[in-house]
Amino acid sequence: MTTPSNPSAGVLPSFRVPAGEIDRRIQCVQVQLQNAGLDGILVLQRVDLFYLSGTAQNGCLYLPAEGPPLLFVKQSVLRARAESPIEHLIEIASIREVPTRIADTSGRQPAKIGFELDVLPVNEFRFYQELFQPAECVDASPFILRSRGVKSAWEIEQLRSTAAMSGRTFDYMREVIRPGLTEMEFAGIFEAYARGIGHGGKLRVRHHNTEGYTWHVLSGASGGMVGVLDSPASGAGTSAAFPAGAGHKRLCTDEPIMVDFGSVMNGYHMDETRMFAIDRMPEPALRISRAAIELHQAALENARPGTPVGALFDRIERMACSLGLEDSFLGPPGRKVSFIGHGIGLELIEPPIIARGKNTPLEAGMVIALEPKFVYENRFAAGIESVFEVTENGGRLISTVPVDIFVCKTD
């Protein structure tokens, strides 16, 4: 038996973010740092690190307001070099080396440095405050999130690749769904298929108390269960320890089944919902599912650059009221959420949030997961969710799953 000269050949993924893409992102953030009077930002959060360097290896990135970034890596330097186009890659044994290394390169330590304070734990922040003392430490997360909020043509293509994988998975769901399976069993079957065609498995979420998962299958009365999620319906979950998503209820014929499938490939997420039924979709679930599609199409038509996200929310809410569905729109009375969509990309939920009272204007290149949903407590949920790109002519679908209701016949 011969030993390959490169043991990792054929094992490590070949996906790589182009150098030009990294350069564009860095320049966008640097302009904002300059405008805010910061000397630089120390990027620590794993997704932001990947966004600005192309690698998610163990380390951090110092992005000065001007000049080339410094990529500090503890483990693994070899993989970071293969993944990242950043020229100045510095191996470190301890994060405590970073301030000195920055000073050695730039001639001085930063006087005003930014951190991702929306996600950095308090104790870690205190550590970095002491490490960079006497520098002023401020929140710079909005600068990264603002850059991430508008996708490049290259990023749109990554999202389309994920959408194609997700679309095939929804086709597979229609083939394998059957009565008698538990919600979790059904979720496991289609998730295994998705992983075989590229789904990375780990959904990235930013909020510390939010968990990303793929098995949001809510059938019949499960769809009418509100709970822990900041979402119209939580579902039963598998126990009090994880009280959301698919549970132990068995799928039945002639009931509405909501499948909300989050997936990821090469770091880029999809978040899509379609209504299923076995043999027959009962009334009024069929009528409500069609109403959700009507709202979905109206939102796509009106998602144009310059439109405040709150105005888009208000338009769709008024439409739901005109259909006589205000009581169930976005949750049962007293338990409603106030959003119909959210940005999506390297994390499952990103700015902007399409919510009541928000004035953020839509921009061409923003990518939104649109999800008008209705909940009838202890009865069922109905809705739809698709991912679209904001263009000058309105929303253009990235999702490939047909905008339809799937009624699957038993043989």
Side-chain angles (χ1 to χ4, degrees), residues 12 53 108 117 128 131 133 149 177 187 199 224 250 349 396 402:
L12 296 179
S53 74
R108 66 181 181 89
L117 297 189
Y128 285 105
L131 192 63
Q133 197 172 21
I177 191 171
H199 173 33
R250 296 192 180 277
I349 301 171
R396 178 168 60 201

Side-chain angles (χ1 to χ4, degrees), residues 161-399:
S161 295
T162 309
M165 175 269 293
S166 181
R168 288 175 61 187
T169 304
F170 271 92
D171 288 342
Y172 182 74
M173 293 177 198
R174 295 159 69 180
E175 296 176 9
V176 299
I177 191 171
R178 64 180 186 271
L181 290 173
T182 67
E183 294 170 341
M184 185 58 86
E185 285 173 331
F186 177 49
I189 290 169
F190 68 69
E191 184 180 349
Y193 173 84
R195 291 195 181 204
I197 58 171
H199 173 33
K202 172 65 175 177
L203 304 185
R204 287 287 183 38
V205 289
R206 197 170 186 90
H207 189 270
H208 73 99
N209 245 352
T210 301
E211 297 173 287
Y213 61 92
T214 62
W215 52 89
H216 202 65
V217 178
L218 314 182
S219 63
S222 293
M225 295 184 71
V226 296
V228 65
L229 298 183
D230 183 20
S231 176
S234 287
T238 51
S239 72
F242 198 92
H248 303 298
K249 180 187 172 301
R250 296 192 180 277
L251 305 183
C252 300
T253 58
D254 307 336
E255 71 173 359
I257 302 167
M258 176 185 284
V259 179
D260 187 341
F261 179 53
S263 60
V264 62
M265 190 163 71
N266 292 330
Y268 285 88
H269 293 73
M270 280 287 115
D271 190 6
E272 298 162 302
T273 299
R274 292 297 183 270
M275 293 302 299
F276 287 74
I278 303 170
D279 285 347
R280 183 182 66 90
M281 176 71 81
E283 288 283 359
L286 180 60
R287 176 175 60 87
I288 306 302
S289 298
R290 287 172 175 164
I293 292 175
E294 192 175 343
L295 269 58
H296 172 279
Q297 298 304 94
L300 287 178
E301 293 169 8
N302 289 280
R304 292 184 173 84
T307 301
V309 294
L312 183 60
F313 176 91
D314 292 343
R315 176 187 284 269
I316 301 307
E317 184 177 47
R318 288 195 301 270
M319 190 172 173
C321 293
S322 72
L323 296 171
L325 300 174
E326 61 270 26
D327 284 351
S328 59
F329 183 55
L330 301 180
R335 299 179 180 85
K336 296 179 180 294
V337 299
S338 57
F339 67 91
I340 58 163
H342 54 83
I344 188 169
L346 288 174
E347 289 171 312
L348 189 67
I349 301 171
E350 301 182 350
I353 306 300
I354 313 300
R356 180 186 293 115
K358 299 289 186 181
N359 293 319
T360 304
L362 292 174
E363 298 179 48
M366 284 182 169
V367 175
I368 310 293
L370 171 69
E371 50 176 331
K373 292 175 180 174
F374 299 88
V375 176
Y376 292 83
E377 196 164 11
N378 299 319
R379 294 174 59 198
F380 68 90
I384 187 169
E385 183 174 15
S386 300
V387 174
F388 73 89
E389 171 193 3
V390 177
T391 75
E392 296 296 334
N393 299 316
R396 178 168 60 201
L397 284 175
I398 293 175
S399 294

Side-chain angles (χ1 to χ4, degrees), residues 67-107:
L70 306 176
L71 179 58
F72 299 101
V73 179
K74 292 178 65 177
Q75 185 73 20
S76 152
V77 172
L78 290 177
R79 292 184 64 172
R81 287 192 189 281
E83 294 164 353
S84 175
I86 299 292
E87 181 178 351
H88 299 282
L89 193 155
I90 302 167
E91 184 173 12
I92 56 173
S94 167
I95 203 75
R96 293 182 181 275
E97 300 174 34
V98 169
T100 301
R101 296 295 190 101
I102 291 173
D104 290 344
T105 303
S106 63

